[in-house]
Amino acid sequence: MKKRRPSENENEETDENEDRLSDLPDCIILHILSFLNTKHVVQTCVLSTRWKHLWKCIPTLILHSSRFTSLKKFDTFVSNIFILRDSSTELHAFDLDIEHRGNIEPQLLKKIANYVSSHDTHLRDLGISLRGDISLIFSCVSSCRALTSLRLKAYPRVNDNVYAETLFPKSLNLPLLTSLDLTNFDFCGGENCHEPFLAYTKLNSLVLRSCRIGGNAQFFSISSDTLVNLALHSNSYAVIQIKLSTPNLCTFEFTGDIIPKLCEGGLSSVKQVNIDSQNILACSGDALILFSWLLDLSNVESLTVTSTILQILSLVPAMLEVKLPSLYNLKSLKVELIPLDDGLLRLLMKENMLKKAAAKSSKEVFKLKKAFKARLEPPAIPDGIVDFLRQNSPSAEVNITTNYPSSFNLKQVEESIKGAKIIKYCSRFSVPSSSVASASAAKSAF
């Protein structure tokens, strides 16, 4: 008697019901689970007998209090994890985030610090984000000599309406550290203060977010012979200038409203720059600082800025008449259009436009004032500024993007960037329009 061959539909059903994940070796499954929050990893224990204890051998712990309804439940979960997890399994990465449940209890923090310290030999990646006294874990961090990546986020503590600073320690003994990401820390500056990053002899990437430079310091130093990537985000610099002693720096990213001065030569090695500011209180002093940054970009190949940055730069007196000693290697200029809010920058731009009109005739001033009353806005990209930036690299590709296409007069934008090779208008709400070969082709699209 011949065996009946399964039909095509039966084969498809068998394939759909097949548990291919469980057929994978443990090491592959554990690698996949290492990307999940630990709470979800533990829940896999109900899948089958094989999965019952598999989670105990995961080399990564991701513990976020936001996954729990209370800090008490989070405390209980963490305690159980530490007890039940296979103690012989190496811990390679630990990510703790207690952001949404108030200040962490010292007892819980001590428990976490002790557990991390007990696995310090193999721990490579450590991230800690919490409210409370984060200084309690610095001794734990310093014991992790194998760390290559460290992320610390200390939420500001306010006692009796007074800001309680969180000072970054003078030294953490982390000889293998390559990546450092710090949020809400305080540093001292000036000649009598330590070099906070000089001890990390393998440091490759440094990110400072919402950090403060206190005291009456005249400057703040960032020194590293190995640093390649530097990002400064929304920091508060109560200093005159920042000294960058980073000869191998390749990428520099800045976002924030307070634009710091940089000592001459600090950006000379950089090849990729991203500058973003929505400073509605920008003044001519900020414009001159940004202009000094431009003068230092002797090796930059990719420059990304917001339209606000270009608007601030337009406040520099007679800037378009300057022959730039930099930007000779520029290959790509990217401009993100963002709406100009009401503020000092808007007023200064209008005043600047009136001054230029007055240089022509009183009739031009009258026409411009009348246009302002009719709600004429300062140009998103000031006339001539793109050509100014490309004067030493006229073949540099230009890309214009925006998430707010309805907020701009795109024809006006087009007229300000004649000669651009590529113009893209895109929105998070729609498919980007196709690229065009020149500004004249872009004009025909409207």
Side-chain angles (χ1 to χ4, degrees), residues 316-323 356 382-388 391:
V316 176
M319 183 186 69
L320 300 183
E321 300 174 11
V322 175
K323 173 62 178 175
K356 291 180 179 179
D383 292 341
I385 198 165
V386 168
D387 287 339
F388 170 76
Q391 62 179 269

Side-chain angles (χ1 to χ4, degrees), residues 354 356-358 360-369:
L354 288 171
K356 291 180 179 179
K360 297 179 180 179
S361 68
S362 57
K363 185 177 180 179
E364 289 294 323
V365 173
F366 176 79
K367 288 172 57 178
L368 187 56
K369 287 183 177 180

Side-chain angles (χ1 to χ4, degrees), residues 41-49 51-52 55:
V41 174
V42 174
Q43 290 171 343
T44 63
C45 68
V46 301
L47 296 178
S48 68
T49 303
W51 288 76
K52 186 174 182 180
W55 69 269

Side-chain angles (χ1 to χ4, degrees), residues 408-424:
F408 297 96
N409 183 336
L410 297 183
K411 288 188 177 181
Q412 185 183 70
V413 172
E414 174 197 344
E415 291 172 357
S416 68
I417 50 174
K418 292 178 180 178
K421 281 193 172 182
I422 298 179
I423 305 171
K424 296 178 182 178

Side-chain angles (χ1 to χ4, degrees), residues 291 294-298 322-328 391-392:
F291 186 67
L294 286 181
L295 298 180
D296 212 12
L297 298 177
S298 55
V322 175
K323 173 62 178 175
L324 279 176
S326 57
L327 301 179
Y328 278 92
Q391 62 179 269
N392 295 325

Side-chain angles (χ1 to χ4, degrees), residues 168-390:
F168 189 72
K170 292 184 176 181
S171 62
L172 290 175
N173 193 10
L174 304 173
L176 302 180
L177 193 69
T178 60
S179 177
L180 181 60
D181 190 323
L182 302 174
T183 302
N184 290 329
F185 280 91
D186 290 78
F187 296 90
C188 64
E191 295 179 352
N192 297 324
C193 292
H194 67 287
E195 294 272 4
F197 312 110
L198 193 58
Y200 310 123
T201 57
K202 295 183 180 297
L203 191 63
N204 178 271
S205 176
L206 174 63
V207 180
L208 300 179
R209 310 174 195 271
S210 301
C211 291
R212 293 159 51 98
I213 315 302
N216 297 318
Q218 300 299 300
F219 62 86
F220 177 62
S221 294
I222 298 178
S223 300
S224 173
D225 290 336
T226 58
L227 192 65
V228 174
N229 309 305
L230 173 63
L232 306 176
H233 301 297
S234 302
N235 298 290
S236 176
Y237 301 104
V239 293
I240 292 180
Q241 53 190 341
I242 296 177
K243 288 184 177 180
L244 294 181
S245 300
T246 50
N248 293 303
L249 192 64
C250 185
T251 66
F252 174 75
E253 183 175 354
F254 171 84
T255 60
D257 291 339
I258 300 178
I259 303 173
K261 292 182 179 179
L262 300 176
C263 289
E264 185 177 352
L267 299 177
S268 59
S269 64
V270 176
K271 293 186 177 181
Q272 182 175 340
V273 175
N274 188 336
I275 309 174
D276 181 0
S277 176
Q278 299 185 30
N279 189 357
I280 62 175
L281 297 177
C283 61
S284 56
D286 294 315
L288 292 173
I289 292 175
L290 284 174
F291 186 67
S292 70
W293 289 15
L294 286 181
L295 298 180
D296 212 12
L297 298 177
S298 55
N299 288 297
V300 69
E301 296 179 359
S302 174
L303 176 61
T304 301
V305 295
T306 60
S307 54
T308 305
I309 291 296
L310 298 184
Q311 290 167 334
I312 295 173
L313 278 171
S314 70
L315 301 178
V316 176
M319 183 186 69
L320 300 183
E321 300 174 11
V322 175
K323 173 62 178 175
L324 279 176
S326 57
L327 301 179
Y328 278 92
N329 298 318
L330 188 64
K331 297 178 181 178
S332 171
L333 174 62
K334 301 176 184 178
V335 182
E336 180 187 355
L337 301 180
I338 57 177
L340 178 62
D341 294 329
D342 289 325
L344 182 59
L345 177 56
R346 180 193 292 267
L347 294 176
L348 290 176
M349 288 192 68
K350 288 185 175 182
E351 289 180 3
N352 200 31
M353 292 171 67
L354 288 171
K355 287 181 180 178
K356 291 180 179 179
K360 297 179 180 179
S361 68
S362 57
K363 185 177 180 179
E364 289 294 323
V365 173
F366 176 79
K367 288 172 57 178
L368 187 56
K369 287 183 177 180
K370 186 177 180 180
F372 284 151
K373 288 182 179 180
R375 297 189 175 182
L376 172 71
E377 293 296 327
I381 300 181
D383 292 341
I385 198 165
V386 168
D387 287 339
F388 170 76
L389 295 175
R390 298 166 66 233

